[in-house]
Amino acid sequence: MAMETESQKAFHVDVGNLLAFNPFHSFPSLPASRDELVKECLHEGTKLVQAVADSLFNLPSSEDVDGPLVKLPPPTTKLPREKHLPKPKPPTKWEEFAKKKGIQKRKKDKVVWDEQTGTWKRRFGYDRVNDDKDIPIIEAKMTDEPGVDPFAKRQDEKKKRVEKQEKNRLQNLKQAAKIGALPSHVQLAATALPITGTQAPPKKVTKDELGNVAGMAATSTASGGKFDRKLPGEKPAKKQGKHRKFLPVVEGSGIGSREKEQTESVLNKLISKHSHEILNVGKAVTMYNVKKEKKARNKRNQEGKFSSATNKLKPKKLLQKKTGKKGPVSSKKGKAK
Amino acid sequence: MSNNEQTLRFCSSAIMMRIKTPKNGRVRRELEKRAPKLVETGKKTLILQGTKTSGTLNGVLSEIYHLKKGGAVRFTRKNDNIRPFESGGEASLEFFSLKTDCSLFVYGSHSKKRPNNLVIGRMYDHHVYDLVEVGVENFKSIESFNYDKKMAPRVGSKPFIAFVGEGFENVDELKHLKEVLLDLLRGEVVENINLAGVDRAYVCTAISLNKVYLTHCALRLKKSGTVVPRMELVEVGPSMDLVVRRHRLPNEGLRKEAMRTAKDQPKKKVKNVSSDAIEGTIGKIYIPDQKVGDVALPNKAKGVKRERREAKKKEANERASKKQREESE
């Protein structure tokens, strides 16, 4: 090993990476066979590894359970980082204020002496000092309005304080996020689009509404939404299929031709061959009864000018009215046929 | 500070923001592991393939995965939309890198124009930093080597890396390949290493201006006269010829930013130690109150012996004095 000449020995050794580099070797001509090439490579590699091992095993070692432990020097070859350097957190608004005023941080104890019960209680949490629910009596002051619940007022004030604190915390985090120093476990997520002017905030659509809308959109297609691509987890529309049924354009004219049936039914309704089917007997009876009662009332009011006989002289006027319309029409149509 | 999600309404600001913190300790620890650190630990590698792969390429990818078992993620599906050298074709890679927290990737694909193609790339902040495209020739897998199985290197051991050849110094592409290979094969940067646990070495030889022969060997330490053992390399693992095809160096600005290191700051604050200009290093020792009365005496306390001795002496004195008195009387 010591017989090597200067030019060959100058390997670049980086013990921190267990790396060795020989910049002086070259293949003047490629060896003929693969095996020879491999042998040559291994030979050179062995020399380099030996050089690293020389430096490595000569480092001061400490005995450990598994074997000698060696403290590696830091690597000399510089490689690029995988992530950016972490930026220090900017001081929060309170921290800046405290620095300006010279306020020192005081270490707080976990337990505090509670005068009321005479025990040591937690500063915050389950069974804590100065809890709102432990106050039995609040004395009224002159400035208090009657009708204001002081306990509720205290709770509201606390809520406001908490909200203000959260607002400040959010502002601090936003400031940190602006310069890219957000702590790793915190994420800021936008909840809604910005509200501009007098726009009302967009209403949240319920699940049922969305389902209905999807179903409505489906029926607007020619196939009734049967072949629409569904999202994973989407349920089929409630009212499946088309809501209107159109007759085919071209159809054979046989006994069962639908268009003929359709037109026939319409005409029958108009012509009223079976007019008694058209009449709504119940409705007619009711109308007659109502009219009758009205007449009776009028009669009572005007004190018997009209005798009962005159009522009898006007029988079944309503019925005639109904059929009256159809009568001349039917007769005309009948003649046409 | 509560860990729950909070919703806030803002009068002044237009966008409503919400603070999201993890409700789980496990999630919190995972996020902290992925956060950028001052001193970085090992990089994870993402191994994936493109539209078409060949048999040899599959072997190469799976063996690289075996070599880097602890810190590598292997995707087995084909990814049509990844084209590392095209401007739009890196979006998928960056997304995977973000989700798996890998900053090195090895992408294999096979086509007629570029057979057995491997693209080795690095990421900075989950964006592509640099790329090297190599073709694999003459691949020999682990199974084809015959060796004594007892000497096989164990998973996760720190390897020796050797680069041979003036090409690595003179040729641009080989220089880049050397850097990338070092990053890929290095493993974790450790402070202490157990000398009994060094058992593998990678040898890269520059055969020609664009070809590199890479092989993985197991180390045998033979006794020599000195503390330093004699090294013997036995070819064990995969060996292949890498032909450099294309490469993309990082932008100068990006490179400068990535190479920045923080100056060594006093990382660990030792408690109860302070240093003064006048007095030097001062340490505080807190001693709890000694309850001298409550301490249990051991059986054969010296004091007891002494008491006995003294009691005996006293008796002897008394007797002597009594005798004297008697005599006097």
Side-chain angles (χ1 to χ4, degrees):
Chain A
M1 288 290 161
M3 310 266 252
E4 255 146 308
T5 50
E6 278 289 328
S7 63
Q8 277 189 312
K9 188 64 176 166
F11 300 149
H12 297 162
V13 170
D14 177 4
V15 189
N17 274 329
L18 297 183
L19 168 73
F21 174 37
N22 178 3
F24 300 110
H25 178 87
S26 67
F27 283 99
S29 64
L30 271 179
S33 75
R34 182 106 185 133
D35 281 337
E36 276 190 33
L37 176 71
V38 171
K39 237 169 76 173
E40 171 91 19
C41 295
L42 280 187
H43 180 66
E44 293 293 320
T46 321
K47 281 200 272 187
L48 283 170
V49 172
Q50 192 64 54
V52 180
D54 280 340
S55 334
L56 180 68
F57 281 83
N58 283 327
L59 287 171
S61 73
S62 59
E63 280 301 315
D64 205 36
V65 182
D66 307 314
L69 212 63
V70 153
K71 187 161 153 59
L72 282 178
T76 51
T77 9
K78 279 179 74 174
L79 288 168
R81 286 178 62 96
E82 64 170 329
K83 293 185 182 124
H84 60 268
L85 278 168
K87 292 200 191 86
K89 228 174 62 152
T92 60
K93 284 197 81 178
W94 168 255
E95 280 174 5
E96 282 174 4
F97 178 77
K99 208 164 82 167
K100 196 174 73 170
K101 290 276 186 165
I103 303 173
Q104 299 288 346
K105 247 199 214 180
R106 296 269 160 79
K107 182 112 170 111
K108 298 188 182 128
D109 288 329
K110 236 198 253 188
V111 281
V112 182
W113 177 252
D114 184 21
E115 287 295 337
Q116 199 185 18
T117 51
T119 53
W120 290 93
K121 280 197 174 175
R122 267 168 264 241
R123 183 180 287 277
F124 56 86
Y126 166 58
D127 182 25
R128 61 177 176 265
V129 163
N130 293 339
D131 199 358
D132 264 355
K133 57 184 168 83
D134 287 340
I135 306 170
I137 303 170
I138 301 178
E139 290 178 26
K141 291 190 286 213
M142 294 300 287
T143 51
D144 268 350
E145 295 169 19
V148 167
D149 181 9
F151 297 99
K153 201 167 101 170
R154 274 181 80 101
Q155 275 189 344
D156 284 339
E157 279 174 9
K158 175 160 188 189
K159 238 191 183 166
K160 276 200 208 121
R161 268 181 280 138
V162 170
E163 268 189 30
K164 176 176 177 288
Q165 179 56 34
E166 284 307 319
K167 190 169 84 133
N168 290 343
R169 176 175 171 230
L170 184 63
Q171 277 288 59
N172 283 330
L173 285 174
K174 272 182 155 183
Q175 190 63 31
K178 204 159 76 162
I179 71 164
L182 201 60
S184 62
H185 54 87
V186 173
Q187 275 177 299
L188 287 178
T191 50
L193 292 168
I195 303 170
T196 51
T198 51
Q199 250 180 32
K203 251 195 300 181
K204 277 202 176 165
V205 195
T206 57
K207 202 161 62 165
D208 302 320
E209 272 179 48
L210 275 177
N212 286 344
V213 166
M216 277 193 265
T219 53
S220 68
T221 53
S223 59
K226 219 169 31 164
F227 301 107
D228 287 343
R229 207 190 304 169
K230 284 211 167 25
L231 287 170
E234 196 181 325
K235 292 192 188 130
K238 275 183 224 150
K239 284 170 103 188
Q240 272 188 350
K242 302 291 290 174
H243 295 175
R244 282 184 72 180
K245 204 171 171 189
F246 292 105
L247 294 174
V249 175
V250 175
E251 208 190 308
S253 56
I255 302 170
S257 82
R258 283 179 277 171
E259 197 174 353
K260 194 172 175 194
E261 283 174 12
Q262 215 177 40
T263 42
E264 242 189 63
S265 62
V266 169
L267 280 176
N268 283 337
K269 279 194 193 159
L270 291 174
I271 298 168
S272 74
K273 267 194 201 172
H274 313 279
S275 60
H276 59 268
E277 288 168 20
I278 306 166
L279 175 63
N280 189 346
V281 180
K283 197 168 181 185
V285 168
T286 324
M287 281 178 82
Y288 168 69
N289 283 337
V290 162
K291 271 255 162 133
K292 200 165 126 189
E293 278 167 32
K294 221 180 184 179
K295 279 279 155 68
R297 239 180 289 134
N298 286 341
K299 184 189 123 191
R300 255 184 271 127
N301 288 342
Q302 288 170 24
E303 273 188 66
K305 256 196 180 174
F306 296 91
S307 62
S308 51
T310 47
N311 282 342
K312 285 177 190 167
L313 282 174
K314 297 175 193 169
K316 302 211 172 151
K317 208 179 173 182
L318 300 155
L319 283 173
Q320 275 184 5
K321 243 190 189 168
K322 268 254 171 192
T323 49
K325 275 188 195 163
K326 306 291 192 264
V329 177
S330 63
S331 58
K332 276 188 195 160
K333 283 287 175 186
K335 279 178 195 164
K337 268 193 179 169
Chain B
M1 247 197 229
S2 71
N3 278 346
N4 296 326
E5 297 183 354
Q6 319 257 354
T7 316
L8 271 189
R9 285 200 164 264
F10 250 82
C11 328
S12 49
S13 161
I15 303 173
M16 288 198 271
M17 286 240 168
R18 187 173 61 150
I19 306 172
K20 275 170 75 169
T21 45
K23 290 190 244 185
N24 226 351
R26 179 178 60 86
V27 177
R28 182 183 272 258
R29 270 175 260 129
E30 197 56 49
L31 281 176
E32 271 171 28
K33 268 194 221 168
R34 296 193 176 193
K37 302 180 199 92
L38 267 179
V39 177
E40 284 183 338
T41 51
K43 301 186 182 181
K44 286 212 283 202
T45 313
L46 177 64
I47 305 175
L48 62 155
Q49 49 212 60
T51 326
K52 203 159 77 140
T53 48
S54 60
T56 46
L57 204 61
N58 279 337
V60 172
L61 290 174
S62 47
E63 303 224 334
I64 294 179
Y65 177 60
H66 281 309
L67 288 177
K68 300 207 74 187
K69 206 50 179 293
V73 178
R74 174 99 163 94
F75 283 178
T76 40
R77 290 218 190 138
K78 66 173 185 177
N79 302 295
D80 299 345
N81 49 355
I82 295 184
R83 286 170 215 283
F85 278 91
E86 282 169 41
S87 61
E90 306 159 349
S92 212
L93 266 178
E94 293 179 356
F95 176 72
F96 289 145
S97 158
L98 183 68
K99 287 294 175 178
T100 55
D101 194 33
C102 291
S103 51
L104 274 168
F105 69 88
V106 176
Y107 168 79
S109 68
H110 177 81
S111 67
K112 204 155 170 199
K113 189 172 172 193
R114 295 177 223 276
N116 294 334
N117 204 24
L118 265 185
V119 179
I120 311 174
R122 292 185 285 188
M123 301 272 192
Y124 178 71
D125 258 352
H126 303 295
H127 295 296
V128 169
Y129 175 73
D130 64 356
L131 306 160
V132 178
E133 186 177 52
V134 288
V136 176
E137 291 172 8
N138 298 329
F139 172 66
K140 280 181 82 180
S141 81
I142 296 180
E143 282 94 39
S144 59
F145 285 96
N146 304 319
Y147 57 93
D148 184 13
K149 297 290 187 229
K150 281 188 224 159
M151 301 187 305
R154 278 166 297 182
V155 177
S157 54
K158 191 150 171 77
F160 282 85
I161 311 178
F163 286 99
V164 181
E166 58 183 12
F168 283 123
E169 181 111 337
N170 303 334
V171 183
D172 232 1
E173 289 151 327
L174 288 187
K175 237 188 346 193
H176 192 198
L177 180 65
K178 172 171 171 272
E179 202 187 317
V180 173
L181 278 179
L182 176 62
D183 225 344
L184 182 70
L185 303 170
R186 179 162 76 142
E188 271 194 45
V189 182
V190 283
E191 263 192 36
N192 300 319
I193 187 170
N194 188 348
L195 289 178
V198 292
D199 49 6
R200 60 166 87 205
Y202 292 98
V203 179
C204 309
T205 335
I207 306 174
S208 72
L209 283 177
N210 64 346
K211 227 195 233 192
V212 165
Y213 174 67
L214 170 67
T215 179
H216 173 235
C217 312
L219 281 181
R220 268 171 74 174
L221 310 176
K222 289 236 168 109
K223 271 202 178 19
S224 79
T226 57
V227 185
V228 183
R230 199 158 63 85
M231 296 287 184
E232 204 180 285
L233 265 65
V234 177
E235 259 201 297
V236 161
S239 78
M240 57 192 100
D241 277 356
L242 301 175
V243 179
V244 178
R245 286 179 185 154
R246 295 187 279 184
H247 75 128
R248 198 211 285 180
L249 288 165
N251 305 335
E252 197 49 46
L254 192 60
R255 198 184 74 84
K256 274 217 178 95
E257 202 191 319
M259 290 298 219
R260 264 202 304 182
T261 49
K263 278 171 245 166
D264 277 14
Q265 293 162 8
K267 291 174 276 179
K268 293 205 176 142
K269 205 174 84 167
V270 187
K271 279 188 168 180
N272 298 325
V273 170
S274 58
S275 60
D276 203 4
I278 304 167
E279 296 173 31
T281 324
I282 315 168
K284 270 191 200 169
I285 306 175
Y286 294 96
I287 306 178
D289 287 337
Q290 278 182 316
K291 298 191 180 98
V292 184
D294 295 343
V295 175
L297 293 168
N299 280 333
K300 293 187 180 176
K302 255 194 176 169
V304 175
K305 271 196 186 165
R306 203 192 308 148
E307 272 176 355
R308 258 203 183 163
R309 242 187 293 142
E310 279 176 353
K312 276 193 184 166
K313 246 192 194 172
K314 230 173 140 187
E315 259 193 66
N317 280 345
E318 278 180 349
R319 264 191 229 139
S321 63
K322 257 193 181 169
K323 269 190 182 168
Q324 276 184 352
R325 269 189 235 135
E326 281 178 14
E327 278 175 28
S328 66
E329 282 173 7

